[in-house]
Amino acid sequence: MGKKVSESEVRSEIIVLPEDTNMFGDLYGGRLVEWMDNIGSITAFKHSRKKVVTGSIDSLFFLSPIKLGYIVHLHSMVTYTTKSTMEIEIDVSSENVITGNKNVTTRAFFTYVALDESGHASEIPEIIPEGDEEKKRLEDAKNRSEYRLQALSNLRKNLN
């Protein structure tokens, strides 16, 4: 039995505080990655209803700075599933609270693995795309999944 994208989709907003920034008043990249992993994990939990661990992060580019006092908008959704893994798309934008101007900050794809009680990969529901946009995301995600599997295989070979 599968699940619709909307059943596990998550949106969150966070205000950037002084402890989140560097000496220039910009959000630490690592803090943003932490927030992205958090929202991605929530999406993966909601989809699988199992313990999950982060397997990989794809294409993380910082396109615009996020300043102290800005609102960070995070949106995550499942785009692809295999037997035990989920690709989660996470989109981030920032908003200047004074002007209301919004900027796209990043889009990245996190992969999570669902685990059973003994820590082994565990079967999850497949994703059921609705509409042309979700179907396109699914097709794009299949290609990224193939690339990730090849990159992982190459990494394992090079490390051994």
Side-chain angles (χ1 to χ4, degrees):
M1 183 147 121
K3 281 190 171 180
K4 298 175 187 175
V5 172
S6 60
E7 292 181 70
S8 55
E9 189 172 16
V10 178
R11 293 180 187 275
S12 181
E13 297 178 340
I14 302 169
I15 191 129
V16 179
L17 300 173
E19 60 268 21
D20 302 321
T21 64
N22 61 26
M23 64 185 181
F24 304 110
D26 295 325
L27 177 65
Y28 283 117
R31 184 66 51 97
L32 181 58
V33 173
E34 176 187 352
W35 293 345
M36 293 173 75
D37 195 24
N38 187 286
I39 195 170
S41 295
I42 293 168
T43 301
F45 288 136
K46 289 175 72 173
H47 182 80
S48 68
R49 295 297 174 191
K50 298 185 179 189
K51 178 181 176 181
V52 298
V53 294
T54 308
S56 69
I57 301 172
D58 291 6
S59 304
L60 184 59
F61 298 100
F62 299 105
L63 304 175
S64 63
I66 302 174
K67 298 289 189 183
L68 174 65
Y70 279 25
I71 298 169
V72 179
H73 302 272
L74 301 118
H75 175 222
S76 63
M77 69 190 97
V78 178
T79 54
Y80 183 67
T81 55
T82 65
K83 185 175 179 181
S84 63
T85 67
M86 295 154 275
E87 180 192 85
I88 310 292
E89 178 181 321
I90 304 171
D91 296 311
V92 180
S93 62
S94 64
E95 178 181 352
N96 180 317
V97 297
I98 305 301
T99 66
N101 290 338
K102 292 183 181 177
N103 288 306
V104 173
T105 301
T106 191
R107 169 180 290 154
F109 301 94
F110 285 55
T111 303
Y112 295 89
V113 181
L115 303 176
D116 63 18
E117 298 77 26
S118 59
H120 297 97
S122 182
E123 199 166 327
I124 60 169
E126 68 180 331
I127 193 72
I128 302 172
E130 297 181 296
D132 292 338
E133 187 176 321
E134 288 183 10
K135 289 175 183 172
K136 171 82 168 90
R137 277 194 176 104
L138 177 66
E139 288 305 312
D140 292 345
K142 284 180 185 178
N143 293 331
R144 284 189 298 274
S145 178
E146 290 172 13
Y147 174 80
R148 271 192 298 273
L149 289 173
Q150 185 61 50
L152 179 60
S153 175
N154 292 341
L155 177 63
R156 286 181 172 148
K157 285 179 193 172
N158 291 332
L159 291 176
N160 289 328

